[in-house]
Amino acid sequence: MDISTSNMIPLHQTGSRKRLDHQQESICIFGTGDFGRSLGMRLLKSGYPVVFGSRNPQKSALLPSGSQVFTHAEALKKAKIIFLAIHRENYDFLSALSSLLDGKVLVDVSNNLRMNQYPESNAQYLSQLVPKAIVVKGFNTVSAWALQSGSLDANKQVFVCGDDHNSKQQVMDVARSLGLTPLDQGSLLAAQEVENYPLLLFPMWRLPFIITASLTVFFFLYCVVIKVIHPYVKKNTNNSYLLMHSIPNTIFPIVSLLLLGLVYLPGVIAAFLQLYRGTKYKRFPDWLDKWMLCRKQLGLVAFAYGFLHVLYSLIIPLRYSSYWRRARYVATLVKSNSTSELKMVWTWRSDALYASGILGFSVFLLLAITSLPSVSNTMNWREFRFVQSKLGHVTLLLCTLHTALLGWNKFLFLSRYKWGLPPGYILSMVIPCIVLVLKLILITPCIDRMVTRIRQGWERKGKDSDSLNI
Ligand code: NAP
């Protein structure tokens, strides 16, 4: 078989080959505003001749040197690809240029002020306005500032969609030439979604933020009632100073452990759901899908709270109240001329408490590090699962153990239930214990085998027809 050398160009080089082919092709930009000028400058730097189309070619100022400016009608004759750096509200003038735009690629970069502001996307509106032109949506997620300053690291992705494959490819090639990463989003129907992207505000963080904020506020009030209001009402003791250190240092580990439990709870719920349904080919309920999608964010917030707990705990010996209590204890021993004996159970308990805490936090740190894209990209799927799932459950176990050792037998004493409220540490262990128990059930050999088979595609046919056949 004769394989010519031209057929042997590696895939990753095809972009740069195309770039060379396109180097002499002019690109036209309608609009000499912020975006138009920044894009023009970037295109010129990448070797593209740039022509601007403007309402006032004579008055246009601050244009990048090397570019040319004409009226819209003259400018569009000089290029096949035209970027519309104009707001949608000003598209009307394009219908007069309809015949000249026949067969030209019109790139709609526009954004709106609100999500789904118009019934149809800006790109679809444009394609109705100038039906003879080929409309491609793209570049709307890149800011003028990023184009101008060259700091494209944060938003290198360019989402492109359009009905004409070749035109879309041409626009994607231009994006590649600018050092951007084009992502094909499909037909022009996807334009509305693409236009909504820049309006999203931390979409994956919303749910974790709401959960964290709610838990933080709840446990803050809970601790204030137990630690400040109760002693004041019952014994007239002023414990308000606890608001600064002790209460935050109670909230942080409680919320951290609960969030960590919430990271692993959807996974076990999903496994039980698959077991119950006998298939993996049925969609999970929406709430479970959403929950699973934000596990990483939940885990990172849990880690941040755990980290705060570590910092707050490290400074405990420096606190005046701790120092004062120790001094008073020693003074009491001196006064009574007695020595306290080393209690073996307490020694074991405190050592186990700190050991589980340190180990739990260290593995937690490992989880957080491996969730960074730069690290996770270097791992294969099995390695990633091992760290995030297996080590994740070990972290949950160690942190729950740490909490249990801290609480010890306090739950046995009624005096600890202020106004009938259980100590916070008990509440923090509820979800993690549920997760650990369910996980324990899932890893028993017969259940584990069943889940694995279902996840490999095996399906239970029906109640009567087929048994599990393991
Ligand atoms: P801009 O600074 O206001 O520039 C808009 C340009 O449109 C004007 O300079 C003007 O150019 C032209 N124009 C204004 N009224 C017009 C009319 N009635 N008829 C024809 N042309 C008219 O806006 P921009 O920030 O560059 O944004 C332009 C487009 O890019 C918008 O759709 C925006 O959503 C999108 N975008 C902007 C950014 C950004 O960071 N700025 C990022 C992504 C997408 P002439 O005077 O030369 O005609």
Side-chain angles (χ1 to χ4, degrees), residues 31-36 53-56 60 72 84-88 90 93 109-111 139-140 142-145:
T32 55
D34 294 339
F35 193 82
S54 170
R55 290 166 301 169
N56 305 303
S60 298
H72 294 122
L84 277 188
I86 295 172
H87 293 278
R88 169 190 169 132
N90 301 321
F93 77 100
V109 303
S110 65
N111 284 317
F139 282 78
N140 61 314
V142 185
S143 74
W145 177 82

Side-chain angles (χ1 to χ4, degrees), residues 134-354:
I134 307 160
V135 176
V136 174
K137 179 83 205 179
F139 282 78
N140 61 314
T141 49
V142 185
S143 74
W145 177 82
L147 282 168
Q148 203 163 33
S149 63
S151 49
L152 290 161
D153 293 346
N155 50 4
K156 261 190 164 186
Q157 293 180 334
V158 173
F159 302 96
V160 182
C161 65
D163 292 335
D164 184 78
H165 181 73
N166 284 342
S167 310
K168 201 162 53 175
Q169 286 306 321
Q170 285 174 32
V171 175
M172 286 167 78
D173 284 341
V174 173
R176 273 189 212 102
S177 312
L178 303 190
L180 299 162
T181 313
L183 296 170
D184 190 344
Q185 298 295 100
S187 75
L188 212 57
L189 283 175
Q192 189 125 34
E193 198 185 334
V194 173
E195 282 166 17
N196 282 338
Y197 286 159
L199 298 171
L200 295 171
L201 187 67
F202 298 119
M204 303 309 284
W205 286 91
R206 198 168 301 149
L207 187 60
F209 176 77
I210 292 171
I211 295 174
T212 309
S214 315
L215 286 173
T216 307
V217 170
F218 173 78
F219 280 105
F220 175 76
L221 297 174
Y222 197 85
C223 291
V224 168
V225 169
I226 289 180
K227 294 187 174 206
V228 181
I229 299 179
H230 185 271
Y232 185 75
V233 172
K234 294 286 176 186
K235 295 180 194 157
N236 204 22
T237 311
N238 181 1
N239 277 353
S240 56
Y241 70 95
L242 297 179
L243 285 168
M244 280 295 111
H245 181 280
S246 176
I247 290 180
N249 201 26
T250 309
I251 298 168
F252 292 142
I254 289 177
V255 177
S256 175
L257 187 59
L258 279 171
L259 291 178
L260 191 60
L262 289 176
V263 171
Y264 291 101
L265 188 56
V268 290
I269 293 177
F272 274 100
L273 209 58
Q274 287 177 333
L275 270 176
Y276 172 74
R277 290 170 166 177
T279 179
K280 69 165 188 175
Y281 296 112
K282 268 192 189 165
R283 274 187 65 89
F284 291 131
D286 264 5
W287 58 267
L288 188 57
D289 259 346
K290 279 189 191 143
W291 190 356
M292 300 238 263
L293 284 174
C294 66
R295 284 181 294 180
K296 176 177 165 176
Q297 288 74 8
L298 279 172
L300 287 175
V301 183
F303 177 73
Y305 269 55
F307 187 64
L308 283 171
H309 171 52
V310 170
L311 290 183
Y312 268 67
S313 301
L314 284 176
I315 59 138
I316 287 176
L318 303 178
R319 290 172 72 212
Y320 171 72
S321 56
S322 313
Y323 166 78
W324 179 84
R325 267 200 207 96
R326 270 167 210 271
R328 191 182 62 165
Y329 177 61
V330 173
T332 319
L333 291 178
V334 171
K335 261 196 221 164
S336 60
N337 197 21
S338 60
T339 323
S340 71
E341 291 201 1
L342 182 73
K343 290 178 181 137
M344 205 38 82
V345 178
W346 280 38
T347 316
W348 267 97
R349 181 198 152 199
S350 73
D351 283 4
L353 168 74
Y354 292 118

